[in-house]
Amino acid sequence: MDCTHNCSHESSCLVSVPVFKGLNENDREALQRVTRSRTFLKGEFIFHEGEQSETLFVVNEGLIKLTKMSAEGKEQIVRLLFPGDFFGLFSLLKNEKHYVNAEAVGNTVICYLEKKDFLKIMESNADLSYRFLLAMNDRLYEADESVSLLSLMDVEQRLARTLVLFHDKMNAGDSTFTLPITKKDLASYIGTTPESISRKLLAFMSQGMIEMDGRRTIHFLKLAELKQLAGLD
């Protein structure tokens, strides 16, 4: 479902994305005029690996998973994108094909800007251009962190780190949140098996660090200990 610039999603996109915060009223209005939105249902693809587009995408509501497929047909989750995250910039700026698939995990609202509109605003706003450079620097840092996550930490540490990430991204102020992805996807994300995820969650429960209500609702009992285990203290 597409939406014109009169919809409320566009204005909320500009509020939710850190790189757009602090824009003056004129810049914000100019950006809002060229921003569009679309709702994707669970399992729908925003784009596939190998496709080309000249669009900057922003997650407004919901969750996106970026994935690659192995030669054997096994899916590997490369990154999860939460509200406020943007993607597609590599293809947009380099005029190259997307190197991952982008799939909606649940019903998701995506805002997007076309290349010509995006570059026009960037060229006229040095501060915004600088903020995008900083955001790309953060993206590279996160990529390095992801590599170290898989290569240097054991499964227990990787799971603890990911649970803390989900907690922070979902603004769980009361220490309770629902896993945004299935155990199968969680296993793909941290490089293990669903059975190992289940065993480690049971271990966290037996150690009194978490409680679980059902299959996916988690309540942190000892957040400081989880952060210490994850190397985040």
Side-chain angles (χ1 to χ4, degrees), residues 19-20 27 31 56 89 92-93 113 115-133 136:
V19 76
F20 291 146
D27 289 336
L31 195 58
L56 176 70
L89 193 59
L92 181 151
L93 295 179
L113 296 88
K115 179 177 182 176
K116 60 181 178 61
D117 298 317
F118 174 72
L119 292 183
K120 182 178 180 180
I121 291 172
M122 291 280 280
E123 289 169 358
S124 63
N125 192 314
D127 180 61
L128 183 59
S129 298
Y130 178 66
R131 278 191 253 171
F132 262 98
L133 284 175
M136 292 306 295

Short mmCIF file of all heavy atoms in Angstrom, two decimals, residues 19-20 27 31 56 89 92-93 113 115-133 136:
data_model
loop_
_atom_site.label_atom_id
_atom_site.label_comp_id
_atom_site.label_asym_id
_atom_site.label_seq_id
_atom_site.Cartn_x
_atom_site.Cartn_y
_atom_site.Cartn_z
N VAL A 19 19.38 10.80 12.09
CA VAL A 19 20.14 11.65 11.18
C VAL A 19 19.32 12.85 10.69
O VAL A 19 19.88 13.86 10.24
CB VAL A 19 20.66 10.82 9.98
CG1 VAL A 19 19.55 10.53 9.00
CG2 VAL A 19 21.83 11.50 9.30
N PHE A 20 17.98 12.77 10.77
CA PHE A 20 17.14 13.87 10.33
C PHE A 20 16.76 14.82 11.46
O PHE A 20 16.18 15.88 11.21
CB PHE A 20 15.84 13.33 9.71
CG PHE A 20 16.05 12.63 8.40
CD1 PHE A 20 15.26 11.55 8.05
CD2 PHE A 20 17.02 13.07 7.51
CE1 PHE A 20 15.46 10.89 6.84
CE2 PHE A 20 17.22 12.42 6.29
CZ PHE A 20 16.43 11.34 5.96
N ASP A 27 13.99 22.97 5.87
CA ASP A 27 14.59 21.71 5.40
C ASP A 27 13.66 20.53 5.68
O ASP A 27 13.53 19.61 4.87
CB ASP A 27 15.94 21.48 6.07
CG ASP A 27 17.01 22.43 5.58
OD1 ASP A 27 16.86 22.94 4.46
OD2 ASP A 27 17.98 22.66 6.30
N LEU A 31 12.05 18.08 2.85
CA LEU A 31 12.26 16.64 2.92
C LEU A 31 10.94 15.89 2.97
O LEU A 31 10.76 14.86 2.32
CB LEU A 31 13.10 16.30 4.16
CG LEU A 31 13.74 14.92 4.25
CD1 LEU A 31 14.64 14.66 3.06
CD2 LEU A 31 14.54 14.80 5.54
N LEU A 56 16.42 5.53 -1.11
CA LEU A 56 16.82 5.42 0.29
C LEU A 56 15.59 5.00 1.08
O LEU A 56 14.55 5.66 1.00
CB LEU A 56 17.35 6.76 0.81
CG LEU A 56 17.70 6.79 2.30
CD1 LEU A 56 18.95 5.95 2.58
CD2 LEU A 56 17.89 8.22 2.80
N LEU A 89 21.36 2.70 0.99
CA LEU A 89 22.23 3.82 0.63
C LEU A 89 23.37 3.37 -0.28
O LEU A 89 23.78 4.10 -1.18
CB LEU A 89 22.79 4.48 1.89
CG LEU A 89 23.46 5.85 1.73
CD1 LEU A 89 22.49 6.85 1.13
CD2 LEU A 89 23.99 6.36 3.06
N LEU A 92 22.10 3.09 -3.77
CA LEU A 92 21.71 4.42 -4.24
C LEU A 92 22.92 5.23 -4.68
O LEU A 92 22.95 5.85 -5.74
CB LEU A 92 20.93 5.15 -3.14
CG LEU A 92 20.41 6.55 -3.42
CD1 LEU A 92 19.14 6.80 -2.62
CD2 LEU A 92 21.43 7.63 -3.04
N LEU A 93 23.96 5.27 -3.86
CA LEU A 93 25.12 6.11 -4.11
C LEU A 93 26.09 5.49 -5.12
O LEU A 93 26.76 6.21 -5.86
CB LEU A 93 25.86 6.41 -2.81
CG LEU A 93 25.09 7.25 -1.78
CD1 LEU A 93 25.94 7.46 -0.53
CD2 LEU A 93 24.69 8.60 -2.37
N LEU A 113 12.85 7.78 -0.13
CA LEU A 113 13.15 8.95 -0.93
C LEU A 113 13.88 8.49 -2.19
O LEU A 113 14.76 7.64 -2.12
CB LEU A 113 14.05 9.94 -0.19
CG LEU A 113 13.55 10.61 1.08
CD1 LEU A 113 13.86 9.76 2.30
CD2 LEU A 113 14.23 11.98 1.23
N LYS A 115 16.47 8.91 -5.41
CA LYS A 115 17.84 9.41 -5.46
C LYS A 115 17.92 10.90 -5.81
O LYS A 115 18.63 11.66 -5.16
CB LYS A 115 18.64 8.60 -6.48
CG LYS A 115 20.09 9.05 -6.63
CD LYS A 115 20.86 8.15 -7.60
CE LYS A 115 22.30 8.58 -7.72
NZ LYS A 115 23.08 7.66 -8.59
N LYS A 116 17.20 11.31 -6.84
CA LYS A 116 17.29 12.70 -7.28
C LYS A 116 16.85 13.66 -6.18
O LYS A 116 17.45 14.73 -6.01
CB LYS A 116 16.46 12.91 -8.55
CG LYS A 116 14.97 12.62 -8.39
CD LYS A 116 14.23 12.84 -9.71
CE LYS A 116 12.76 12.49 -9.60
NZ LYS A 116 12.04 13.33 -8.59
N ASP A 117 15.82 13.29 -5.43
CA ASP A 117 15.34 14.15 -4.34
C ASP A 117 16.30 14.13 -3.17
O ASP A 117 16.59 15.17 -2.57
CB ASP A 117 13.95 13.69 -3.89
CG ASP A 117 12.91 13.78 -4.98
OD1 ASP A 117 12.90 14.79 -5.70
OD2 ASP A 117 12.12 12.83 -5.12
N PHE A 118 16.81 12.94 -2.86
CA PHE A 118 17.74 12.80 -1.73
C PHE A 118 19.02 13.60 -1.98
O PHE A 118 19.49 14.35 -1.12
CB PHE A 118 18.05 11.32 -1.52
CG PHE A 118 19.11 11.05 -0.49
CD1 PHE A 118 18.85 11.25 0.86
CD2 PHE A 118 20.36 10.60 -0.87
CE1 PHE A 118 19.83 10.99 1.81
CE2 PHE A 118 21.34 10.34 0.08
CZ PHE A 118 21.07 10.55 1.41
N LEU A 119 19.62 13.45 -3.17
CA LEU A 119 20.87 14.14 -3.47
C LEU A 119 20.68 15.65 -3.54
O LEU A 119 21.57 16.41 -3.14
CB LEU A 119 21.45 13.62 -4.78
CG LEU A 119 21.94 12.17 -4.76
CD1 LEU A 119 22.56 11.81 -6.11
CD2 LEU A 119 22.94 11.93 -3.64
N LYS A 120 19.55 16.09 -4.03
CA LYS A 120 19.29 17.52 -4.10
C LYS A 120 19.29 18.15 -2.71
O LYS A 120 19.87 19.22 -2.49
CB LYS A 120 17.94 17.77 -4.79
CG LYS A 120 17.60 19.25 -4.96
CD LYS A 120 16.27 19.40 -5.70
CE LYS A 120 15.92 20.89 -5.86
NZ LYS A 120 14.63 21.06 -6.58
N ILE A 121 18.66 17.45 -1.76
CA ILE A 121 18.62 17.96 -0.38
C ILE A 121 19.99 17.87 0.27
O ILE A 121 20.42 18.78 0.98
CB ILE A 121 17.56 17.18 0.43
CG1 ILE A 121 16.16 17.54 -0.08
CG2 ILE A 121 17.68 17.48 1.92
CD1 ILE A 121 15.06 16.71 0.51
N MET A 122 20.72 16.78 0.00
CA MET A 122 22.06 16.64 0.56
C MET A 122 22.99 17.74 0.05
O MET A 122 23.80 18.29 0.81
CB MET A 122 22.63 15.27 0.18
CG MET A 122 21.94 14.09 0.85
SD MET A 122 22.48 13.82 2.54
CE MET A 122 24.02 12.97 2.23
N GLU A 123 22.89 18.07 -1.23
CA GLU A 123 23.76 19.09 -1.82
C GLU A 123 23.52 20.47 -1.23
O GLU A 123 24.42 21.30 -1.17
CB GLU A 123 23.55 19.12 -3.33
CG GLU A 123 24.11 17.90 -4.05
CD GLU A 123 23.68 17.82 -5.50
OE1 GLU A 123 22.89 18.71 -5.93
OE2 GLU A 123 24.09 16.87 -6.19
N SER A 124 22.30 20.71 -0.77
CA SER A 124 21.96 22.04 -0.25
C SER A 124 22.07 22.12 1.26
O SER A 124 21.81 23.17 1.84
CB SER A 124 20.54 22.42 -0.69
OG SER A 124 19.59 21.51 -0.13
N ASN A 125 22.45 20.99 1.90
CA ASN A 125 22.50 20.99 3.37
C ASN A 125 23.75 20.26 3.83
O ASN A 125 23.78 19.04 3.94
CB ASN A 125 21.24 20.30 3.93
CG ASN A 125 21.08 20.51 5.42
OD1 ASN A 125 22.03 20.35 6.18
ND2 ASN A 125 19.87 20.87 5.85
N ALA A 126 24.81 21.05 4.09
CA ALA A 126 26.09 20.48 4.49
C ALA A 126 25.99 19.75 5.82
O ALA A 126 26.64 18.70 6.02
CB ALA A 126 27.15 21.58 4.57
N ASP A 127 25.18 20.27 6.73
CA ASP A 127 25.05 19.64 8.05
C ASP A 127 24.44 18.26 7.93
O ASP A 127 24.89 17.30 8.56
CB ASP A 127 24.20 20.53 8.97
CG ASP A 127 24.03 19.93 10.35
OD1 ASP A 127 25.04 19.72 11.05
OD2 ASP A 127 22.88 19.64 10.74
N LEU A 128 23.42 18.13 7.08
CA LEU A 128 22.77 16.83 6.89
C LEU A 128 23.73 15.85 6.23
O LEU A 128 23.80 14.68 6.60
CB LEU A 128 21.51 16.99 6.05
CG LEU A 128 20.68 15.72 5.82
CD1 LEU A 128 20.23 15.11 7.14
CD2 LEU A 128 19.47 16.03 4.93
N SER A 129 24.51 16.33 5.25
CA SER A 129 25.50 15.48 4.59
C SER A 129 26.52 14.96 5.60
O SER A 129 26.90 13.78 5.58
CB SER A 129 26.22 16.26 3.50
OG SER A 129 25.31 16.68 2.50
N TYR A 130 26.95 15.83 6.50
CA TYR A 130 27.92 15.43 7.52
C TYR A 130 27.33 14.38 8.46
O TYR A 130 27.99 13.40 8.82
CB TYR A 130 28.36 16.65 8.32
CG TYR A 130 29.33 16.35 9.44
CD1 TYR A 130 30.61 15.87 9.16
CD2 TYR A 130 28.97 16.53 10.77
CE1 TYR A 130 31.51 15.58 10.18
CE2 TYR A 130 29.86 16.25 11.80
CZ TYR A 130 31.13 15.77 11.50
OH TYR A 130 32.00 15.50 12.52
N ARG A 131 26.06 14.55 8.80
CA ARG A 131 25.42 13.58 9.69
C ARG A 131 25.30 12.21 9.02
O ARG A 131 25.38 11.18 9.68
CB ARG A 131 24.05 14.10 10.12
CG ARG A 131 24.14 15.08 11.29
CD ARG A 131 22.79 15.35 11.86
NE ARG A 131 22.34 16.69 11.50
CZ ARG A 131 21.11 17.15 11.71
NH1 ARG A 131 20.21 16.35 12.25
NH2 ARG A 131 20.78 18.37 11.40
N PHE A 132 25.07 12.20 7.72
CA PHE A 132 25.03 10.92 7.01
C PHE A 132 26.39 10.26 7.01
O PHE A 132 26.51 9.04 7.11
CB PHE A 132 24.50 11.10 5.59
CG PHE A 132 23.04 10.79 5.46
CD1 PHE A 132 22.10 11.81 5.48
CD2 PHE A 132 22.59 9.48 5.34
CE1 PHE A 132 20.75 11.52 5.39
CE2 PHE A 132 21.25 9.19 5.25
CZ PHE A 132 20.32 10.22 5.27
N LEU A 133 27.46 11.05 6.89
CA LEU A 133 28.80 10.50 6.98
C LEU A 133 29.04 9.86 8.35
O LEU A 133 29.60 8.76 8.45
CB LEU A 133 29.85 11.60 6.73
CG LEU A 133 30.04 12.04 5.28
CD1 LEU A 133 31.01 13.20 5.22
CD2 LEU A 133 30.55 10.89 4.42
N MET A 136 27.13 6.62 8.51
CA MET A 136 27.80 5.54 7.79
C MET A 136 29.01 5.04 8.57
O MET A 136 29.32 3.84 8.54
CB MET A 136 28.23 6.04 6.41
CG MET A 136 27.08 6.33 5.47
SD MET A 136 25.94 4.93 5.30
CE MET A 136 27.00 3.72 4.51
#
